[in-house]
Amino acid sequence: QKEVEQNSGPLSVPEGAIASLNCTYSDRGSQSFFWYRQYSGKSPELIMFIYSNGDKEDGRFTAQLNKASQYVSLLIRDSQPSDSATYLCAVNSFSGGYNKLIFGAGTRLAVHP
Amino acid sequence: KAGVTQTPRYLIKTRGQQVTLSCSPISGHRSVSWYQQTPGQGLQFLFEYFSETQRNKGNFPGRFSGRQFSNSRSEMNVSTLELGDSALYLCASRAASGGDYEQYFGPGTRLTVT
């Protein structure tokens, strides 16, 4: 069973701090990695994707990928209360002849003023 | 470009009934995937359709079925509804061409079974 693991949280950080969200995956063949943000009662929104080892930055968000350690993380700089949401890590896995996204259970982030 | 749309947004059904949910992908996207999301189980993959063919299927009973039309719109059907089918049903589309694996979700259909 190919799995994606995340700490369920809640991860509580003060406003202005860096929030660090982590994800590990079991399928060594995975090539594509995604972070989704989901507000309560809403659908997941794609905020970052990364395909190569290293860092990828987009505004206040940085995705980090280490395929050797099977580890992907999301850093949110200058965290705002509006960043409070559940963050889902998703990994593309080749299964049954086709690619499929496997989601972690999500980490709940709470940014307090 | 318009996003993924789903109809209806909310639905209340009774046990034993059946339901059909609809999803229109982003223009140009050929792949549609369906997911069930519940507080206890998280996001569970139901199936994926591409060019009117089911390419992948999750671990759900045969009561859950789907199809895709030539314009890439997709429908999901659940027959003989059970209380445990109450969930947020999400569809997601992606271009599915080349190395493009980014998947975008619709707003979801919240199904309540009483």
Side-chain angles (χ1 to χ4, degrees):
Chain A
Q1 177 73 5
K2 297 170 183 176
E3 295 181 342
V4 176
E5 301 285 343
Q6 295 181 255
N7 189 318
S8 62
L11 173 65
S12 183
V13 300
E15 184 174 356
I18 296 176
S20 178
L21 305 160
N22 304 313
C23 172
T24 59
Y25 59 94
S26 63
D27 183 4
R28 284 198 169 274
S30 294
Q31 297 294 323
S32 310
F33 307 86
F34 306 87
W35 283 99
Y36 287 83
R37 177 177 62 199
Q38 186 173 25
Y39 292 113
S40 181
K42 302 294 186 183
S43 64
E45 174 192 9
L46 179 63
I47 55 172
M48 287 287 286
F49 57 88
I50 185 167
Y51 294 168
S52 304
N53 272 331
D55 295 0
K56 179 182 178 183
E57 188 175 316
D58 183 2
R60 295 186 297 113
F61 298 101
T62 298
Q64 299 176 315
L65 174 61
N66 184 326
K67 290 184 181 178
S69 300
Q70 295 174 245
Y71 177 93
V72 59
S73 65
L74 178 70
L75 301 179
I76 306 175
R77 289 182 301 282
D78 187 25
S79 295
Q80 301 297 309
S82 60
D83 294 326
S84 299
T86 296
Y87 289 80
L88 301 168
C89 171
V91 175
N92 206 53
S93 185
F94 195 72
S95 171
Y98 299 103
N99 286 290
K100 182 172 79 172
L101 272 191
I102 299 177
F103 284 82
T107 297
R108 191 155 57 90
L109 173 66
V111 181
H112 53 87
Chain B
K1 196 184 268 190
V4 180
T5 59
Q6 291 186 246
T7 57
R9 294 291 310 279
Y10 302 91
L11 209 48
I12 300 176
K13 291 285 189 179
T14 56
R15 273 184 304 174
Q17 288 186 313
Q18 72 155 16
V19 66
T20 299
L21 312 182
S22 181
C23 171
S24 292
I26 292 171
S27 177
H29 284 194
R30 298 169 65 190
S31 164
V32 173
S33 296
W34 288 90
Y35 295 86
Q36 180 196 66
Q37 189 175 39
T38 60
Q41 297 297 317
L43 205 58
Q44 301 286 309
F45 172 75
L46 281 155
F47 28 65
E48 179 191 12
Y49 284 87
F50 177 81
S51 291
E52 303 177 64
T53 301
Q54 187 180 94
R55 297 209 300 191
N56 244 323
K57 192 177 190 308
N59 295 323
F60 279 82
R63 299 185 297 107
F64 292 82
S65 63
R67 59 177 175 168
Q68 186 180 35
F69 302 95
S70 58
N71 61 358
S72 294
R73 190 178 70 84
S74 177
E75 287 182 347
M76 190 192 91
N77 185 274
V78 188
S79 63
T80 319
L81 284 166
E82 300 177 359
L83 294 178
D85 297 333
S86 294
L88 179 66
Y89 289 89
L90 295 157
C91 87
S93 77
R94 62 186 179 96
S97 61
D100 183 355
Y101 298 112
E102 295 98 70
Q103 196 170 87
Y104 299 89
F105 283 89
T109 295
R110 186 162 297 280
L111 172 65
T112 302
V113 182
T114 62

